[in-house]
Amino acid sequence: MLSAGLSLALNDIVSMTRLICTDNDKPTLKNMRHKICRQPASTNMNKNVRIETMDRGDDVGGDKFSSAVRSQFRNRKTKTTDETCSDEQPEDPIRLLSNLIASDVLYSTTTVDPLSSVISAVKLRNPDVIVVLLLKERSPNSVVILKQKIELRVERGLEMEHEPCDSNLQGFQVSVRNVIHNDLEDMKMVEC
């Protein structure tokens, strides 16, 4: 879940990478779509990068976002008649993600709850996903509070599960590191 600029850079480095860029702001989404559409056809950007709204909350983006993830990342193999007639539930689209990368998504302490909700819900639904956030600490202790809330929400989510919990989340911790750069003050990298 990336900005258009980062997705352009990643797509150039790793051709055939499939990405979803998200935001809640309609003008930002429109701008991202415009940037993607203006890329040369040889980059395959229109095929490899999708722009989608992501609502914040425990349902991780809402139905439209889940549908976009499923469409963008599902295995493209042709289904046999036996597979299409199966009574199996479709795979959780969040389990199709390998990485969740975000930057500049913590604006103040008011955004801690929705952001911690999304991150913890993603980790509970897909313990193998690698989450990396690059954040500017605009409010005192906001990153520490975010770390604590993510850990607490994952812990509570594990307690509520009826099935044996995934061992990948036992002892779950969020790591916070300072980013040291002359031009970037109060920057933190959050990983889990």
Side-chain angles (χ1 to χ4, degrees):
M1 305 178 193
L2 308 169
S3 69
L6 184 54
S7 69
L8 291 170
L10 284 175
N11 195 64
D12 191 43
I13 294 168
V14 185
S15 63
M16 302 309 292
T17 299
R18 291 189 186 151
L19 306 166
I20 294 183
C21 301
T22 67
D23 206 298
N24 283 353
D25 183 61
K26 287 183 181 184
T28 301
L29 291 167
K30 184 178 178 181
N31 185 38
M32 287 193 290
R33 284 186 182 102
H34 175 74
K35 287 180 181 180
I36 298 302
C37 289
R38 294 194 60 203
Q39 299 308 305
S42 62
T43 66
N44 286 325
M45 290 298 285
N46 284 324
K47 294 179 183 175
N48 297 341
V49 178
R50 185 169 184 154
I51 309 298
E52 195 58 62
T53 300
M54 181 176 177
D55 299 325
R56 292 186 174 183
D58 290 327
D59 65 349
V60 188
D63 291 338
K64 189 174 178 185
F65 179 75
S66 291
S67 177
V69 169
R70 190 176 288 114
S71 172
Q72 187 73 348
F73 297 112
R74 73 173 175 248
N75 187 345
R76 303 247 180 222
K77 72 176 186 171
T78 307
K79 291 186 177 186
T80 64
T81 307
D82 292 340
E83 288 174 316
T84 54
C85 296
S86 171
D87 289 335
E88 263 182 51
Q89 292 287 353
E91 182 175 21
D92 180 353
I94 298 304
R95 301 229 15 119
L96 300 172
L97 299 175
S98 61
N99 295 276
L100 188 153
I101 304 168
S103 65
D104 200 27
V105 291
L106 183 64
Y107 307 111
S108 70
T109 53
T110 60
T111 56
V112 166
D113 277 335
L115 183 57
S116 64
S117 177
V118 168
I119 301 302
S120 60
V122 167
K123 286 302 285 188
L124 286 165
R125 289 170 60 184
N126 182 355
D128 297 326
V129 70
I130 298 168
V131 177
V132 179
L133 309 173
L134 181 63
L135 309 169
K136 179 172 180 74
E137 188 154 34
R138 293 177 172 93
S139 301
N141 298 319
S142 60
V143 174
V144 170
I145 295 167
L146 175 67
K147 172 192 180 329
Q148 292 168 344
K149 288 213 176 205
I150 294 170
E151 290 173 345
L152 183 62
R153 286 175 187 254
V154 168
E155 183 181 319
R156 285 184 181 159
L158 290 173
E159 290 171 358
M160 294 177 67
E161 287 185 354
H162 300 291
E163 300 172 16
C165 60
D166 193 306
S167 62
N168 290 347
L169 290 177
Q170 292 300 321
F172 174 79
Q173 289 186 322
V174 175
S175 167
V176 178
R177 296 185 286 155
N178 290 321
V179 175
I180 300 171
H181 191 282
N182 292 341
D183 299 330
L184 303 173
E185 293 183 28
D186 301 320
M187 295 299 289
K188 307 284 185 185
M189 180 157 314
V190 176
E191 300 170 289
C192 57

